[in-house]
CSV table of all heavy atoms in Angstrom, one decimal:
chain,number,residue,atom,x,y,z
A,28,ARG,N,28.5,55.5,162.6
A,28,ARG,CA,27.7,56.7,163.3
A,28,ARG,C,27.5,57.9,162.2
A,28,ARG,O,26.5,58.4,162.2
A,28,ARG,CB,28.5,57.1,164.4
A,28,ARG,CG,27.6,57.8,165.4
A,28,ARG,CD,28.4,58.2,166.7
A,28,ARG,NE,28.9,57.1,167.4
A,28,ARG,CZ,29.9,57.2,168.3
A,28,ARG,NH1,30.5,58.4,168.6
A,28,ARG,NH2,30.3,56.1,168.9
A,29,ALA,N,28.6,58.1,161.4
A,29,ALA,CA,28.4,59.2,160.5
A,29,ALA,C,27.4,58.9,159.5
A,29,ALA,O,26.6,59.7,159.1
A,29,ALA,CB,29.8,59.5,159.8
A,30,MET,N,27.3,57.6,159.0
A,30,MET,CA,26.2,57.3,158.0
A,30,MET,C,24.9,57.2,158.6
A,30,MET,O,24.0,57.7,158.0
A,30,MET,CB,26.6,55.9,157.4
A,30,MET,CG,27.9,55.9,156.5
A,30,MET,SD,28.1,54.3,155.7
A,30,MET,CE,28.8,53.3,156.9
A,31,SER,N,24.9,56.9,159.8
A,31,SER,CA,23.5,56.7,160.5
A,31,SER,C,23.0,58.2,160.7
A,31,SER,O,21.8,58.5,160.6
A,31,SER,CB,23.7,56.0,161.9
A,31,SER,OG,22.9,56.5,162.9
A,32,ARG,N,24.0,59.2,161.1
A,32,ARG,CA,23.6,60.6,161.2
A,32,ARG,C,22.9,61.1,160.0
A,32,ARG,O,21.9,62.0,160.1
A,32,ARG,CB,24.8,61.4,161.6
A,32,ARG,CG,24.6,62.6,162.3
A,32,ARG,CD,25.9,63.3,162.9
A,32,ARG,NE,27.0,63.3,162.0
A,32,ARG,CZ,28.1,62.7,162.2
A,32,ARG,NH1,28.3,62.1,163.5
A,32,ARG,NH2,29.2,62.8,161.4
A,33,HIS,N,23.3,60.7,158.8
A,33,HIS,CA,22.7,61.0,157.6
A,33,HIS,C,21.6,60.1,157.1
A,33,HIS,O,21.2,60.1,155.9
A,33,HIS,CB,23.8,61.2,156.5
A,33,HIS,CG,24.8,62.2,156.7
A,33,HIS,ND1,24.5,63.6,156.5
A,33,HIS,CD2,26.1,62.1,157.1
A,33,HIS,CE1,25.6,64.3,157.0
A,33,HIS,NE2,26.5,63.4,157.2
A,34,GLN,N,21.1,59.3,158.1
A,34,GLN,CA,20.0,58.3,157.8
A,34,GLN,C,20.4,57.4,156.5
A,34,GLN,O,19.5,57.0,155.8
A,34,GLN,CB,18.6,59.0,157.5
A,34,GLN,CG,17.9,59.5,158.7
A,34,GLN,CD,18.2,60.9,159.0
A,34,GLN,OE1,18.2,61.7,158.0
A,34,GLN,NE2,18.3,61.2,160.3
A,35,TYR,N,21.8,57.1,156.4
A,35,TYR,CA,22.1,56.2,155.3
A,35,TYR,C,21.7,56.7,154.0
A,35,TYR,O,21.4,56.0,153.1
A,35,TYR,CB,21.7,54.8,155.6
A,35,TYR,CG,22.4,54.2,156.8
A,35,TYR,CD1,21.7,54.3,158.0
A,35,TYR,CD2,23.6,53.6,156.8
A,35,TYR,CE1,22.3,53.8,159.2
A,35,TYR,CE2,24.2,53.2,158.0
A,35,TYR,CZ,23.6,53.3,159.1
A,35,TYR,OH,24.2,52.8,160.4
A,36,SER,N,21.6,58.0,153.8
A,36,SER,CA,21.1,58.6,152.5
A,36,SER,C,22.3,58.7,151.6
A,36,SER,O,23.4,59.1,151.9
A,36,SER,CB,20.5,60.0,152.8
A,36,SER,OG,20.5,60.8,151.6
A,37,GLY,N,22.0,58.3,150.3
A,37,GLY,CA,23.0,58.4,149.2
A,37,GLY,C,23.4,59.8,149.0
A,37,GLY,O,24.5,60.1,148.5
A,38,ASP,N,22.6,60.8,149.4
A,38,ASP,CA,22.9,62.3,149.1
A,38,ASP,C,24.0,62.7,150.0
A,38,ASP,O,24.7,63.7,149.7
A,38,ASP,CB,21.6,63.1,149.6
A,38,ASP,CG,20.5,62.9,148.6
A,38,ASP,OD1,20.7,62.3,147.5
A,38,ASP,OD2,19.4,63.2,148.9
A,39,ALA,N,24.3,61.9,151.1
A,39,ALA,CA,25.5,62.3,152.0
A,39,ALA,C,26.7,61.5,151.6
A,39,ALA,O,27.7,61.5,152.2
A,39,ALA,CB,25.0,61.9,153.4
A,40,LEU,N,26.7,61.1,150.4
A,40,LEU,CA,27.9,60.3,150.0
A,40,LEU,C,29.3,61.1,150.2
A,40,LEU,O,30.2,60.5,150.8
A,40,LEU,CB,27.8,59.9,148.5
A,40,LEU,CG,29.0,59.1,147.8
A,40,LEU,CD1,29.3,57.8,148.7
A,40,LEU,CD2,28.8,58.8,146.4
A,41,ILE,N,29.3,62.4,149.7
A,41,ILE,CA,30.6,63.0,149.8
A,41,ILE,C,31.0,63.3,151.3
A,41,ILE,O,32.2,63.1,151.6
A,41,ILE,CB,30.5,64.4,149.1
A,41,ILE,CG1,30.4,64.1,147.6
A,41,ILE,CG2,31.8,65.2,149.3
A,41,ILE,CD1,30.6,65.3,146.6
A,42,GLU,N,30.0,63.5,152.1
A,42,GLU,CA,30.3,63.7,153.7
A,42,GLU,C,30.8,62.4,154.2
A,42,GLU,O,31.8,62.3,154.9
A,42,GLU,CB,29.1,64.1,154.3
A,42,GLU,CG,28.7,65.7,154.2
A,42,GLU,CD,27.6,65.8,153.1
A,42,GLU,OE1,27.7,64.9,152.0
A,42,GLU,OE2,26.9,66.7,153.2
A,43,VAL,N,30.3,61.4,153.8
A,43,VAL,CA,30.7,60.1,154.4
A,43,VAL,C,32.0,59.6,153.9
A,43,VAL,O,32.8,59.1,154.6
A,43,VAL,CB,29.5,59.0,154.0
A,43,VAL,CG1,30.1,57.6,154.2
A,43,VAL,CG2,28.2,59.2,154.6
A,44,LEU,N,32.3,60.0,152.5
A,44,LEU,CA,33.6,59.7,152.0
A,44,LEU,C,34.7,60.5,152.8
A,44,LEU,O,35.8,60.0,153.2
A,44,LEU,CB,33.7,59.9,150.5
A,44,LEU,CG,32.9,58.9,149.6
A,44,LEU,CD1,32.9,59.3,148.1
A,44,LEU,CD2,33.4,57.6,149.8
A,45,HIS,N,34.4,61.7,153.1
A,45,HIS,CA,35.3,62.5,153.9
A,45,HIS,C,35.5,61.9,155.1
A,45,HIS,O,36.7,61.9,155.7
A,45,HIS,CB,34.7,64.0,154.0
A,45,HIS,CG,35.1,65.0,153.0
A,45,HIS,ND1,36.4,65.3,152.8
A,45,HIS,CD2,34.4,65.7,152.1
A,45,HIS,CE1,36.4,66.2,151.9
A,45,HIS,NE2,35.3,66.4,151.4
A,46,THR,N,34.5,61.6,155.8
A,46,THR,CA,34.6,60.9,157.1
A,46,THR,C,35.6,59.7,157.1
A,46,THR,O,36.5,59.5,157.9
A,46,THR,CB,33.3,60.6,157.8
A,46,THR,OG1,32.5,61.9,157.8
A,46,THR,CG2,33.4,60.1,159.3
A,47,ALA,N,35.2,58.9,156.1
A,47,ALA,CA,36.0,57.6,155.9
A,47,ALA,C,37.4,57.9,155.6
A,47,ALA,O,38.3,57.2,156.3
A,47,ALA,CB,35.4,56.8,154.7
A,48,GLN,N,37.7,58.9,154.9
A,48,GLN,CA,39.1,59.2,154.6
A,48,GLN,C,39.8,59.8,155.8
A,48,GLN,O,41.0,59.4,156.0
A,48,GLN,CB,39.2,60.2,153.4
A,48,GLN,CG,40.8,60.4,153.1
A,48,GLN,CD,40.9,61.0,151.7
A,48,GLN,OE1,40.7,60.3,150.7
A,48,GLN,NE2,41.3,62.2,151.6
A,49,GLU,N,39.1,60.5,156.7
A,49,GLU,CA,39.7,61.1,157.8
A,49,GLU,C,40.0,60.0,158.8
A,49,GLU,O,41.1,59.9,159.5
A,49,GLU,CB,38.8,62.0,158.6
A,49,GLU,CG,39.0,63.5,158.1
A,49,GLU,CD,37.8,64.3,158.7
A,49,GLU,OE1,37.2,64.0,159.8
A,49,GLU,OE2,37.4,65.3,157.9
A,50,LEU,N,39.2,59.0,158.8
A,50,LEU,CA,39.4,57.9,159.8
A,50,LEU,C,40.3,56.9,159.3
A,50,LEU,O,41.1,56.3,160.2
A,50,LEU,CB,38.0,57.1,160.0
A,50,LEU,CG,36.9,57.9,160.8
A,50,LEU,CD1,35.6,57.2,160.6
A,50,LEU,CD2,37.3,58.1,162.2
A,51,PHE,N,40.4,56.5,158.1
A,51,PHE,CA,41.2,55.4,157.6
A,51,PHE,C,42.5,56.0,156.8
A,51,PHE,O,43.3,55.1,156.4
A,51,PHE,CB,40.4,54.5,156.7
A,51,PHE,CG,39.3,53.7,157.4
A,51,PHE,CD1,38.1,54.3,157.7
A,51,PHE,CD2,39.7,52.5,158.1
A,51,PHE,CE1,37.1,53.6,158.4
A,51,PHE,CE2,38.7,51.9,159.0
A,51,PHE,CZ,37.5,52.4,158.9
A,52,GLY,N,42.5,57.2,156.5
A,52,GLY,CA,43.7,57.8,155.8
A,52,GLY,C,43.4,57.7,154.3
A,52,GLY,O,44.1,58.6,153.5
A,53,PHE,N,42.8,56.8,153.8
A,53,PHE,CA,42.6,56.6,152.3
A,53,PHE,C,41.3,55.7,152.1
A,53,PHE,O,40.8,55.2,153.2
A,53,PHE,CB,43.7,56.1,151.6
A,53,PHE,CG,44.1,54.5,151.8
A,53,PHE,CD1,43.7,53.6,150.9
A,53,PHE,CD2,44.6,54.2,153.1
A,53,PHE,CE1,44.0,52.3,151.1
A,53,PHE,CE2,44.8,52.8,153.3
A,53,PHE,CZ,44.5,51.9,152.3
A,54,LEU,N,40.8,55.7,150.9
A,54,LEU,CA,39.5,55.0,150.7
A,54,LEU,C,40.0,53.6,149.9
A,54,LEU,O,40.2,53.7,148.7
A,54,LEU,CB,38.7,55.9,149.8
A,54,LEU,CG,38.3,57.2,150.5
A,54,LEU,CD1,37.5,58.1,149.4
A,54,LEU,CD2,37.4,57.0,151.7
A,55,SER,N,40.0,52.6,150.7
A,55,SER,CA,40.4,51.3,150.1
A,55,SER,C,39.2,50.8,149.3
A,55,SER,O,38.0,51.2,149.6
A,55,SER,CB,40.8,50.3,151.2
A,55,SER,OG,39.7,50.0,152.0
A,56,ALA,N,39.4,49.8,148.5
A,56,ALA,CA,38.3,49.2,147.7
A,56,ALA,C,37.3,48.5,148.7
A,56,ALA,O,36.1,48.8,148.4
A,56,ALA,CB,38.8,48.2,146.7
A,57,PRO,N,37.7,47.7,149.6
A,57,PRO,CA,36.7,47.2,150.6
A,57,PRO,C,35.7,48.3,151.3
A,57,PRO,O,34.6,48.2,151.6
A,57,PRO,CB,37.5,46.4,151.6
A,57,PRO,CG,38.8,46.1,150.9
A,57,PRO,CD,39.0,47.3,150.0
A,58,LEU,N,36.5,49.4,151.6
A,58,LEU,CA,35.8,50.5,152.3
A,58,LEU,C,34.7,51.1,151.4
A,58,LEU,O,33.6,51.4,151.8
A,58,LEU,CB,36.8,51.5,152.8
A,58,LEU,CG,36.4,52.6,153.7
A,58,LEU,CD1,35.8,52.1,155.1
A,58,LEU,CD2,37.6,53.4,154.1
A,59,LEU,N,35.1,51.2,150.2
A,59,LEU,CA,34.2,51.8,149.2
A,59,LEU,C,33.0,51.0,149.0
A,59,LEU,O,31.8,51.3,148.9
A,59,LEU,CB,34.9,52.3,147.8
A,59,LEU,CG,35.9,53.3,147.8
A,59,LEU,CD1,36.6,53.4,146.6
A,59,LEU,CD2,35.2,54.6,148.2
A,60,LYS,N,33.3,49.6,149.0
A,60,LYS,CA,32.2,48.6,148.8
A,60,LYS,C,31.2,48.7,150.0
A,60,LYS,O,30.0,48.6,149.9
A,60,LYS,CB,32.8,47.3,148.6
A,60,LYS,CG,32.9,46.8,147.2
A,60,LYS,CD,33.3,45.3,147.2
A,60,LYS,CE,34.1,45.0,146.1
A,60,LYS,NZ,34.9,43.8,146.2
A,61,THR,N,31.7,48.8,151.1
A,61,THR,CA,30.9,48.8,152.3
A,61,THR,C,30.1,50.2,152.3
A,61,THR,O,28.8,50.0,152.6
A,61,THR,CB,31.8,48.9,153.6
A,61,THR,OG1,32.7,47.8,153.7
A,61,THR,CG2,31.0,48.9,155.0
A,62,ILE,N,30.6,51.2,151.9
A,62,ILE,CA,29.8,52.5,151.9
A,62,ILE,C,28.8,52.3,150.8
A,62,ILE,O,27.6,52.8,151.1
A,62,ILE,CB,30.8,53.7,151.6
A,62,ILE,CG1,31.7,53.9,152.8
A,62,ILE,CG2,30.1,54.9,151.3
A,62,ILE,CD1,32.9,54.9,152.7
A,63,ALA,N,29.1,51.8,149.6
A,63,ALA,CA,28.1,51.7,148.7
A,63,ALA,C,26.9,50.8,149.2
A,63,ALA,O,25.7,51.1,148.9
A,63,ALA,CB,28.7,51.0,147.5
Side-chain angles (χ1 to χ4, degrees):
R28 205 176 295 161
M30 290 188 282
S31 148
R32 208 171 36 242
H33 293 288
Q34 283 97 39
Y35 297 91
S36 162
D38 292 343
L40 177 59
I41 291 184
E42 287 94 326
V43 169
L44 289 175
H45 266 299
T46 305
Q48 181 159 294
E49 266 171 35
L50 291 169
F51 293 88
F53 71 106
L54 303 170
S55 66
L58 191 54
L59 292 176
K60 260 190 213 159
T61 304
I62 291 170

